[in-house]
Structures are given as structure tokens and as C-alpha cells.
Amino acid sequence: MKNLEQFFRDAASVGIIDFALRASIVDGERVTFYVHPHGKDGETLDFTVTGNVLTPPGEFSPLAGPKPDASITIDRFGDRFSAVTGPDERGMALGIAANPDHTAAQSLSSALDFAREQLMANVSGEAVTLCSDRRMILMSADNPAGRKLEDLLPQIAGEVEAKTLKIAADPRPVARRVAENNARIVKLLEEAETLQRASLEALASIGPDEGPLGAPRIGSAA
């Protein structure tokens, strides 16, 4: 995704210097905003803002003022928990996102496990690997607490449709193009869900699902 600096540079190259910005507070916690050229066609960028740190949609949002080196902060979002380290040598915040399928106790346990591993690794290259593994999304033997693809696809489609509703009244060509693209994305996601459910039916013909830690019905556990 384009960063805010490049967004402004590209806009300036075509004479756009005025912008409209709309900010929102999501779930009483996260501050988000989008910025768009004022009164002109152009791109729209969305960000979550934490202190002076901007995070694009879909990326983990660090806490403001992350502490250096091996410090760990465990943060609570309602009944969910996540853990964040300070920046590594590249200035990146490492962390895990709260899993919506976990209970509060499981979320806290996961955050504590992550914090323990990061402190032992001292935010080294090993810590980066641990962080990457923690952020896997799909359920698997390596990520038994992950989400099922057949559940994620309709959820994502619903969120895309919700985003489309927010621009439904915008008559500008860019908004219309985004809405059309979103409609196509939703259709493709629906087709992907159909394929995934067909795969599940095929697997069911072999035998019952033993779960992510059970014996695989095709392939191998390796």
C-alpha cells in the first residue's frame, strides 16, 4: 500500500495540495482516518493512528512510544489481549493480534507466551521469526488456533460490502470505480468460498475431520 509521504508527493505532482480528512474512533479505542484530495478526484488512503505512528489497514498497529529492545507491553482490547515488543533494529514493532476465537483466558495466555518468548530472544532475529509464526491466520497443524478459510471468506466479503456502502453516495468516478472493483472482489470471494466448501465435501468422503492436530486425510503431516 502507498505510504502517506508518497501519496502527498504524487498529489503534488499533479497540482493537488488541499485534502479532506475524516477521523473516527472505532470501538471506543482505535483512532482511524482517511484522507482524500479536497474537491478533486484522486486516491483515498486509510490509516490507524497511534500517537504519531500511522498503520495501514490489515497491519498490526503498535502502541504509541514503543519501548526499546526487549521490553514487552501486554494490551487489553475488551476481553482480548495482545503483546507488543519495542522496535527491532529496523524500527518495526513486533506483536501478535488478538484472536477473536479465543476466550479471555486463552488470549491472555497467548500474549504471555509471546512475551516470554520475545524476552528470551531479546528481540533478535529469532524474535522476528516467532512474531511471524504468531501472525498466521489460517488453521493448520502449525496454527491450531487459527481461523477456517470457509469462515474467513464470507466475513471478508461482508466487510468489503460494508466499505462499499460507505461510498455509495459518492458520485465521483474514482468512488464508482472502487465500488465496482469491490463488487467484483465480493463475487470472487464468494466463488472462493464455493471452491473451499467443495474441497471440504471431497475430504469428508475420505473420513471425518480430526482437527488441525489430527491425522491428515490427504498428503502428510510433514
Side-chain angles (χ1 to χ4, degrees):
M1 176 180 175
K2 181 179 293 186
N3 61 43
L4 189 58
E5 177 187 356
Q6 192 59 51
F7 173 78
F8 286 140
R9 287 182 181 275
D10 290 350
S13 71
V14 293
I16 297 175
I17 59 173
D18 296 316
F19 301 87
L21 184 149
R22 174 167 293 185
S24 303
I25 299 179
V26 181
D27 299 329
E29 296 171 349
R30 290 189 301 115
V31 178
T32 66
F33 74 90
Y34 71 80
V35 57
H36 184 89
H38 179 64
K40 297 184 179 181
D41 290 339
E43 295 181 88
T44 298
L45 288 191
D46 297 86
F47 292 98
T48 293
V49 56
T50 307
N52 289 323
V53 178
L54 302 181
T55 309
E59 294 187 13
F60 187 83
S61 178
L63 299 181
K67 299 178 177 59
D69 301 326
S71 64
I72 304 290
T73 300
I74 294 180
D75 200 26
R76 179 169 186 162
F77 300 90
D79 61 350
R80 299 287 178 260
F81 298 85
S82 63
V84 182
T85 76
D88 65 8
E89 65 275 7
R90 296 167 299 171
M92 297 175 61
L94 308 177
I96 55 172
N99 188 322
D101 289 337
H102 281 183
T103 64
Q106 288 173 322
S107 294
L108 179 57
S109 176
S110 179
L112 289 170
D113 286 345
F114 174 83
R116 187 180 302 109
E117 291 167 350
Q118 298 297 285
L119 288 169
M120 291 178 65
N122 197 27
V123 198
S124 63
E126 180 184 356
V128 177
T129 301
L130 288 169
C131 173
S132 176
D133 289 344
R134 285 290 190 175
R135 295 184 67 179
M136 293 174 66
I137 298 173
L138 294 178
M139 180 184 292
S140 67
D142 295 324
N143 186 34
R147 305 287 301 280
K148 293 181 178 180
L149 181 59
E150 61 270 23
D151 294 334
L152 279 174
L153 289 168
Q155 179 178 335
I156 295 171
E159 292 184 13
V160 173
E161 289 178 327
K163 289 173 69 72
T164 305
L165 287 175
K166 293 181 179 180
I167 62 173
D170 191 333
R172 289 173 295 179
V174 170
R176 295 302 89 217
R177 181 176 180 182
V178 170
E180 291 170 0
N181 288 343
N182 283 356
R184 185 178 179 190
I185 289 170
V186 169
K187 180 175 177 60
L188 291 171
L189 287 169
E190 290 173 346
E191 291 177 3
E193 183 188 354
T194 298
L195 289 173
Q196 171 64 4
R197 295 196 180 280
S199 294
L200 293 176
E201 290 180 7
L203 289 169
S205 68
I206 297 175
D209 182 3
E210 296 184 12
L213 299 180
R217 290 172 287 185
I218 58 175
S220 65

